[in-house]
Each structure stands twice: as structure tokens, then as C-alpha cells.
Amino acid sequence: MDPTTIMAVVCSVVVFAGWLLLPHSPTTVKPVVVSEEREPARVSA
Amino acid sequence: MKIDSGDTAWVLAAAALVMLMTPALGFFYGGLVRRKNVLSTIMHSFFILCLISVQWVLWGYSLAFGPDKGHIIGGLEWVGLNGVGFAPNADYAPTIPHQAFMLFQMMFAVITPALISGAFAERQRFKAFVLFSLLWATFVYDPIAHWVWGAGGWLHTLGALDFAGGTVVHISSGVSALVAALVLGRRLGFGKQKVEPHDATMTVLGAALLWFGWFGFNAGSALGAGALATSAFVVTNTAAAMAALTWMTVSWWHKKQPSVIGAAAGAVAGLVAITPASGFVNVMGAIVIGFGAGVVCYLAIQLRERIKVDDALDVWAVHGIGGTWGALATGLFATVAINSAAANGLFYGNPKQALIQLVAVGAVWGWSILGTFVILKVVNLFVPLRVHEDEEVLGLDLSQHGEPAYAGIHAN
């Protein structure tokens, strides 16, 4: 294999293997603050 | 010279693809700003599409690609497209009409100043933006395009390789963005209040459309519908994907979660980095270039945050550093097996090419810094670069354009 191919394989292994090892920290769900109430549409008769 | 209908059809279609990238950039940037500035941010891209389309046919194309003057600039012989007709030009594209080549190049000239607009988002006065963009296109972009791509340009003659604009488009805009951010100063509240993207979905959609348009940018730069265009298409897609995967992995490791906006930014970084190399490297080289883009551009953003420069949408980190990495990597991974008209890079036995790339990168950094700084100072003599504080607080959509992006919602 030429140097470029070797580097490409190493880069790919780093990325793909990284996902197996990386931790995942879920964000605590907070209630959504509604800043603005929408007014219902008015339909004139 | 005979016009090839296949080549012509591809280059015209590619020009349309590249045209789409500028409004796509508007959406990519627009999603990243606060909702009070989204319309003005999209307007930057849309307006530049109009402005540079006219500048290019009047004098821009002639300065960039016209008959060489001292290896520095094109002459004025082709002003108003005088002499730029439908017969092919042997120096640039021997199988398509000269005007098709001019049109394709126009779209590159359009998107480059639009890229800079991300640096001064949310605070630049519209009139100052108009003046700056016109002067920058004329005195920074056009000369650099001539150096690198113009027949007789000094970097072209030196042997610098830039297939689709790593130096001409991305380094020039990214470095200029850094200068613009420094000259304009930080947004009000920068570092004190968190500025969050108002619509991440818009940003991801913009990135996806950029990716789509980039096939025209890179594969179109083959200026023909053949094997080289196919190769450029393949490596472009590969590098974008690899950079997105890498950025997401790095941010996952750093911030503990895989960022969606990070994946979109990573794809753009990969597209930037493969741009100069896309006609010279094979698919393995594209993987390495994409990986490198994901790492170095992410690190550049960390550095930019640490030194507290308010390059609002990280143009320098993604385009300046991504373009620099791509231009240097071209000198490492280029191979004549892909493009016999070019040269090998360092890993294929030609270390000289790496040095030539370094010279090209240094020259474009230097001219971009100097030109942008002078232009901003000159514009500031006539029109203040920044809006007033109360206008900035109100938002640029209302203060500069008198129109809200979203009816009934004006706050932040």
C-alpha cells in the first residue's frame, strides 16, 4: 500500500472506532418556556 | 477549435449549480444568526449575487482573465465582454464557448465575497457592505484569480495547483473575514450572552444545498464532461462525508454529544479543503484531506473562541484554515495518475510541489490581509462600517431593511 492509502485507513479507523468508545451524555430535558402566546386567528363573518 | 456539446452542457449546468450555492450560503448563515438578523444575513448573499454578476461582465472578468499585464492582473481589453464571444478560448477552455467559461467563473466571483459576510453578520451597515463588496471583488478577488488561474498569472506560471479555488475563493475570503471581524470589532454582548442559532434546520438545509452545488464547483472545474470531472465529483463527495464524520466525532469527544450543526459545518469544511485538490488527488487522498479538515477546522474554532475574535459565523476557521489545509494537502497528495496535466505531490516523489503550494498560500494570505484592511479603512472614511448600537439591538432586519423575517416576532 502507498502512504496515502495507509493514512486513509488509519483516519477511517480512528473515526469509526471512535464512535464505539465515545460516551454519550444526554441533556436533561427542561420544560420549554413559551415567550409569546399566539392569538387565535379572527375570521369575520 | 470545435465546440463540444457535452462539455458545454456540463459547464452550463455546473454554473447553475454554483449559482445555487450563494443563496444556499444565505440559508446556512441565516440559520446561525438571531432571528432579528436573519433577513439581513440572507440579503448579503442575495445582493452579492446581483452586484457581482454585473461587476463581472463590466470589468471583473477582464481583470481576472483578460490579457496578462506583468503577471499581476488582466488588462481592460475584455471590459464589457468585448471580445468574449462564443468561440472557445484556447488558454482556458478549448471545447466550450468562451462565454460559457466566463459565466462559470462569474459564479465563483459571486460566492467569494458572500462568504466573507459571515464574519461581520449582525453588525455591519448595509451601505458599507455594498461598497466593501464591490471594492473587495475588484482589488482582492480579481487580482488573486489572475495570479492563480489567469493565463500568465505569476502563481499559475510558478506551477501552483488550485483546481477549483482553495486559494482564490476560500483562503481569500476566510482570511479577509478574520481581518473584517478584527476591524469591525465584537458584537454587543459578545462573550457575556450566549448567541444561539435561531434555526438549526435552516442551517442544515443550507449545508445540504451547498454540498449539492459543490459538485458543480469542483467537477465543473474540469471544464469538460469526462473522467476528470467524474474523479473530482467522487473525491468531493468523499471528503465532505469524511470531514462531517470527523467533525462530529471530535465534537462528540469534546462536548460529549454529536452535534448536528457540527456535522453540517464539518461537511462544509471538507468541501472547502477538497476544492483545490479535487482535480489532482485520488479517493484515498480525499479521505485524508476530509479527516484533516474535520480536525483542523474544529481546532481553529476553539482557538478563535479562546482569543475572543468575533468572526460571527466562523468563516476564517472553516474557509481560511480549511482552504489553507486543502491547498497545502494538494502539494502532498496530488498525483499525475489522476491528472496528467498537473504534477505529483510530496508523497508521490515531488517535494517541490509542497513548497510551491506554500508560496501560493502565503501570497494569498498576504494580499487578502493587506487589501481587506485598506478597503475597510477607506470605506469607513465615507460610510461607518457598523450600525449604531440601538440599531444593533433592534436588529438589522428592521434597522437596515425595514422588514422583519417573521411577521409578528421581532425579539431576538
Side-chain angles (χ1 to χ4, degrees), chain B residues 138-221:
Chain B
T138 302
F139 293 107
V140 178
Y141 181 86
D142 293 345
I144 290 175
H146 186 78
W147 297 354
V148 179
W149 289 333
W154 74 273
L155 286 173
H156 183 78
T157 307
L158 189 66
L161 297 178
D162 185 354
F163 193 69
T167 53
V168 178
V169 173
H170 296 292
I171 294 180
S172 69
S173 61
V175 171
S176 298
L178 179 66
V179 176
L182 289 168
V183 172
L184 260 77
R186 301 169 187 141
R187 286 167 291 179
L188 294 175
F190 177 79
K192 295 174 188 154
Q193 61 193 57
K194 197 170 169 74
V195 178
E196 291 191 320
H198 93 285
D199 188 348
T201 61
M202 185 187 282
T203 295
V204 177
L205 176 65
L209 288 173
L210 279 170
W211 191 333
F212 177 72
W214 228 292
F215 295 134
F217 204 88
N218 288 359
S221 291

